[in-house]
Amino acid sequence: MIVLIALDFFGQGAVSRGARQQVRALLDAGHRVTVITDSDDGRHKFFIKDRRENNLQITVVWTINLPRYSLFGKEVSFAASCSKALLKLSKTEAINLVISQVSTVCFGLAPLAKWKKIPAVFVIRALIKDRLLNLASHYDWPTTQLYKLTNRYAVSKMPFLLAVSNYMKQLAISEGAKSEHVFVLHNPVDTQRFHPNGHTIKDIDILFIGRLSIEKGVGDFLRAAKQLSASTR
């Protein structure tokens, strides 16, 4: 069995969608998967058949929101609940791999994986250091400090790290990760759905995928686009 841990697994954000893509790939490769998350959407079309055939289990754990402190309460309570759920699961199932999308969870996961000799990986989609460098963090002070602490712990203590870009790999290394423990797997694109139609006349392709925030570099692109010829299609 493979365990994947993600907050808001059925949400609409990039991390949630990426986590679902990972689970879809694991299921298609023939693995049994348990997802530990904070809510369940049993109607999600992506996984109805897999759940019916018992190849996918959704374990919902307890979290608490503290409205005055951004995500601090939810992150800490989710991490504590995940540790308890993982320990319980390890007593009844042979866990072959644990994949965490949440750095806070790694406080409990890293020592548990070492104790139980379970391979474990932290997926690095973002680090608070990047947001702070780009003046793009919207988190309050307690949550920011939590992410600073948990990010550094996760990249230095987790057995394996999976970064979504070479930039994230270098950022993780600057936070204490060992280079040989960090692997890069870029965010996938479904080429069956997204591909050139071969009929549009154009000189170049420009595609942007992401939210409109400063660290995504949309402003850089717009400034660069001014250098293009007016006749460019």
Side-chain angles (χ1 to χ4, degrees):
M1 171 183 288
I2 294 176
V3 178
L4 183 137
I5 302 171
L7 270 166
D8 195 26
F9 177 73
F10 291 104
Q12 296 305 308
V15 174
S16 302
R17 292 176 182 271
R20 291 198 298 273
Q21 288 175 336
Q22 289 177 358
V23 169
R24 178 73 272 157
L26 291 169
L27 290 167
D28 289 344
H31 297 284
R32 288 175 56 236
V33 179
T34 291
V35 172
I36 300 178
T37 188
D38 58 320
S39 61
D40 187 8
D41 181 356
R43 299 166 298 171
H44 201 287
K45 62 182 181 179
F46 224 35
F47 301 114
I48 291 176
K49 180 181 178 182
D50 305 287
R51 298 182 73 169
R52 189 185 303 124
E53 295 176 353
N54 222 26
N55 293 321
L56 174 66
Q57 300 293 329
I58 305 294
T59 299
V60 178
V61 297
W62 173 84
T63 61
I64 184 171
N65 285 311
L66 300 174
R68 289 183 58 191
Y69 299 105
S70 186
L71 291 171
F72 184 91
K74 189 171 187 178
E75 287 273 356
V76 172
S77 58
F78 183 68
S81 297
C82 284
S83 294
K84 184 178 179 180
L86 264 177
L87 182 59
K88 181 179 179 180
L89 190 63
S90 69
K91 294 178 180 178
T92 58
E93 295 281 354
I95 302 176
N96 304 113
L97 175 66
V98 180
I99 304 169
S100 178
Q101 312 279 332
V102 186
S103 66
T104 315
V105 168
C106 296
F107 264 108
L109 174 56
L112 178 64
K114 184 176 181 179
W115 173 37
K116 294 284 188 177
K117 294 181 172 58
I118 301 172
V121 59
F122 170 47
V123 179
I124 307 173
R125 297 187 180 279
L127 293 172
I128 191 66
K129 183 176 181 178
D130 176 55
R131 289 181 177 272
L132 294 174
L133 287 172
N134 288 288
L135 303 178
S137 176
H138 62 275
Y139 302 116
D140 59 12
W141 188 86
T143 305
T144 298
Q145 300 310 306
L146 175 69
Y147 286 153
K148 283 183 178 180
L149 179 65
T150 59
N151 282 183
R152 288 171 184 160
Y153 181 90
V155 300
S156 62
K157 299 296 185 182
M158 286 292 287
F160 301 102
L161 305 168
L162 190 63
V164 297
S165 68
N166 288 310
Y167 171 70
M168 278 298 157
K169 176 179 179 177
Q170 294 306 316
L171 205 62
I173 292 171
S174 74
E175 288 287 86
K178 294 181 179 179
S179 178
E180 62 269 25
H181 291 179
V182 190
F183 301 87
V184 175
L185 181 64
H186 298 283
N187 286 322
V189 174
D190 184 350
T191 55
Q192 296 298 314
R193 182 178 180 185
F194 302 104
H195 55 84
N197 62 23
H199 303 297
T200 302
I201 300 175
K202 53 189 174 181
D203 299 310
I204 57 175
D205 283 314
I206 298 176
L207 173 67
F208 171 78
I209 301 175
R211 65 183 182 278
L212 296 177
S213 55
I214 189 171
E215 73 271 22
K216 298 298 182 181
V218 180
D220 295 333
F221 162 70
L222 293 176
R223 285 188 290 273
K226 291 181 179 179
Q227 307 302 314
L228 295 176
S229 168
S231 63
T232 300
R233 293 167 294 183

